[in-house]
Amino acid sequence: TRVDYAIDLHSGSLSIEYLPCAVVARPSNPGRMGDALDLLRAFGMPIGMIIEHSTGGDRALIGACRRQNVRHLSTELGGGGGVSPAAIDIAEHGVMRLLHHVGVT
């Protein structure tokens, strides 16, 4: 694979609003759990979650990342048809911290 990391920035839908948070899926390889936690810490959102699997199942981005051994971090940045300026600011700074953490910047 030519991809090492995937960052998924999104928010709820028109009918759902989430607290801004960062999300990683529990890696299928237990030895990679430290890497997943490091991504959460580097992104630096006030709320972080570790999930077992995506609601989209194996067909979602998380499932594809697991199959290809790609490290993945997702976000929820709001919802209800919009994203607050504060959530955008958190996401922008988080992406910059994450890119620095993985050695891209």
Side-chain angles (χ1 to χ4, degrees):
T1 178
R2 298 185 318 180
V3 175
D4 294 320
Y5 299 92
I7 304 171
D8 179 12
L9 304 172
H10 64 274
S11 64
S13 65
L14 291 174
S15 63
I16 299 173
E17 188 164 342
Y18 292 96
L19 287 173
C21 63
V23 180
V24 295
R26 184 178 304 282
S28 52
N29 175 348
R32 304 279 304 272
M33 190 63 193
D35 291 341
L37 292 174
D38 287 345
L39 293 179
L40 278 176
R41 288 183 192 107
F43 200 85
M45 288 192 85
I47 299 171
M49 295 190 308
I50 303 164
I51 61 173
E52 291 298 322
H53 54 80
S54 169
T55 56
D58 196 45
R59 296 171 297 149
L61 180 60
I62 291 172
C65 288
R66 283 181 164 171
R67 286 192 303 279
Q68 296 299 314
N69 204 27
V70 172
R71 293 168 184 92
H72 171 268
L73 180 128
S74 179
T75 65
E76 293 291 352
L77 298 172
V83 179
S84 73
I88 291 171
D89 187 57
I90 290 170
E92 287 177 348
H93 287 92
V95 168
M96 294 308 295
R97 284 189 299 272
L98 196 59
L99 292 175
H100 178 75
H101 171 75
V102 302
V104 173
T105 60

